[in-house]
Amino acid sequence: MIQDILTAIPLGIFLSFLIGPVFFVLLETSAVKGFRAALVFDLGVVLADIFFILIAYFSSYRLIQSLKNDPAIFIFGGILMLTYGLISFIKLRKITSKVNEDDVEIVFQKKNYRAIFIKGFLLNFINVGVLLFWFLILITVGPKLELETGRMLTFFTSVILTYLFVDMGKILLAKQLKHKMTPKNILNIKKLISILLILFGMAIMLQGWFPSDQKMVKKALEKME
């Protein structure tokens, strides 16, 4: 059991520092809305991860392979993320042009924790690559854990808890920037996050248009045949 936990910790740390849309939005949420809002966002992200882990664990190999071989899945997920980024950017431009700084500050002080939680879940959930990532982890680590349910539960729980623990450190560090979060800076950061979401959405779409980018996943899946 101890060995399984020690094996899981490096993976949890690695996941926490993966550069993706969730990484940037988490830091932005902490800097703008504070620790509690960022933690709620992170819990939404974790719920999506748990959902994907369960799919990877209980689903058949054929289901995962069909997802891997269907470029439409990646294109659809990429379009969703790209659209979300575009809508966010357009809304921010309207805020910039129509309201003054005091109004902007009031807008960004509002906190809807349910919406923040859902945002974290959906932002992670629409990235189909996350499902493939967890499946790769499952087929890599599963044999080493002898596919025992107890050991698998210990391993993945340790990964998620490590991920959350490291993320809390990131949230606290980002929170230190809060005193620099003037309304103008907040708008600029949110615009940057929107642009990054657009770019990540395009990157996910490219995985559908150029399936050769998924060679690592394909090779791992072929080992199971």
Side-chain angles (χ1 to χ4, degrees):
M1 180 177 178
I2 299 299
Q3 184 60 43
D4 295 340
I5 294 174
L6 293 176
T7 304
I9 289 175
L11 178 59
I13 296 173
F14 170 75
L15 278 174
S16 184
F17 286 99
L18 274 179
I19 304 300
V22 168
F23 179 89
F24 292 105
V25 177
L26 176 68
L27 298 184
E28 176 254 345
T29 303
S30 177
V32 175
K33 296 186 176 180
F35 178 87
R36 186 178 297 177
L39 182 59
V40 169
F41 172 85
D42 211 22
L43 290 174
V45 172
V46 167
L47 180 61
D49 278 323
I50 293 173
F51 187 75
F52 279 144
I53 291 171
L54 291 175
I55 291 177
Y57 183 75
F58 289 109
S59 65
S60 67
Y61 160 69
R62 294 299 174 189
L63 173 60
I64 300 298
Q65 188 178 45
S66 66
L67 288 175
K68 180 264 300 184
N69 288 328
D70 188 358
I73 297 294
F74 289 89
I75 294 174
F76 179 70
I79 289 174
L80 287 178
M81 188 171 293
L82 187 149
T83 302
Y84 180 83
L86 280 174
I87 292 173
S88 298
F89 187 80
I90 292 170
K91 284 184 177 180
L92 290 167
R93 285 184 64 87
K94 289 181 179 179
I95 291 175
T96 305
S97 61
K98 291 186 178 181
V99 300
N100 58 44
E101 284 213 347
D102 291 335
D103 292 330
V104 172
E105 190 167 16
I106 291 172
V107 168
F108 289 125
Q109 281 178 347
K110 295 178 180 179
K111 300 176 184 177
N112 184 333
Y113 291 114
R114 180 182 297 178
I116 292 172
F117 180 85
I118 294 173
K119 178 181 178 181
F121 177 83
L122 292 179
L123 194 59
N124 202 26
F125 185 76
I126 62 178
N127 189 351
V128 182
V130 177
L131 172 59
L132 296 179
F133 171 81
W134 283 118
F135 187 73
L136 281 173
I137 297 300
L138 183 68
I139 63 176
T140 301
V141 177
K144 297 179 181 179
L145 301 177
E146 299 175 347
L147 294 176
E148 292 182 10
T149 303
R151 295 185 66 186
M152 299 278 279
L153 181 62
T154 298
F155 175 82
F156 284 107
T157 300
S158 300
V159 171
I160 295 297
L161 290 178
T162 302
Y163 172 86
L164 271 175
F165 181 78
V166 176
D167 266 8
M168 283 192 284
K170 284 163 36 184
I171 291 169
L172 289 172
L173 288 175
K175 189 181 176 183
Q176 303 306 311
L177 299 174
K178 194 169 185 177
H179 66 282
K180 296 183 180 180
M181 291 296 103
T182 63
K184 182 178 179 180
N185 287 341
I186 291 173
L187 280 171
N188 289 334
I189 290 173
K190 284 185 169 289
K191 285 179 182 178
L192 177 61
I193 296 296
S194 298
I195 293 172
L196 288 172
L197 289 176
I198 292 171
L199 294 176
F200 282 119
M202 293 174 65
I204 293 172
M205 289 171 63
L206 287 175
Q207 292 183 60
W209 286 328
F210 301 101
S212 59
D213 292 339
Q214 303 166 33
K215 286 182 179 179
M216 183 180 71
V217 176
K218 184 178 179 180
K219 288 180 180 178
L221 290 170
E222 286 175 349
K223 290 179 181 180
M224 297 185 65
E225 293 182 334

